[in-house]
C-alpha cells in the first residue's frame, strides 16, 4: 500500500463519497495535509481513523 492516498482513493476504500472524505479532512476528523491545494492522507492516519471507528 502507498504511504499517501488522495481523498478519492480513501473514498473508494471506505465505500463513501469523495465529499464525505473531504469534509472529514476539513473538520479534522481525518488527519491529512495539503500539497499544492490538494489533500493527501497518510495510510497510518487512515488506519488510526478506522481503528477509532470514526468512519461510522
Amino acid at each position: 500500500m502507498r504511504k499517501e492516498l488522495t481523498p478519492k482513493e480513501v473514498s473508494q476504500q471506505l465505500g463513501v463519497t469523495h465529499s464525505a472524505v473531504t469534509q472529514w479532512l476539513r473538520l479534522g476528523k481525518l488527519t491529512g495535509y495539503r500539497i499544492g491545494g490538494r489533500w493527501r492522507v497518510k495510510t497510518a492516519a487512515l488506519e488510526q481513523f478506522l481503528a477509532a471507528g470514526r468512519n461510522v
Side-chain angles (χ1 to χ4, degrees):
M1 188 183 289
R2 292 180 19 208
K3 291 187 178 187
E4 298 175 346
L5 301 168
T6 65
K8 182 179 179 181
E9 293 168 327
V10 172
S11 69
Q12 290 171 344
Q13 284 188 14
L14 300 181
V16 298
T17 64
H18 176 272
S19 60
V21 174
T22 304
Q23 184 177 21
W24 293 337
L25 288 163
R26 282 191 307 233
L27 294 173
K29 293 182 178 185
L30 174 61
T31 303
Y33 57 96
R34 296 185 89 146
I35 296 180
R38 299 187 185 264
W39 284 104
R40 293 294 181 262
V41 178
K42 290 188 178 186
T43 54
L46 180 58
E47 290 169 3
Q48 287 179 328
F49 179 79
L50 294 172
R54 294 185 183 155
N55 65 324
V56 178

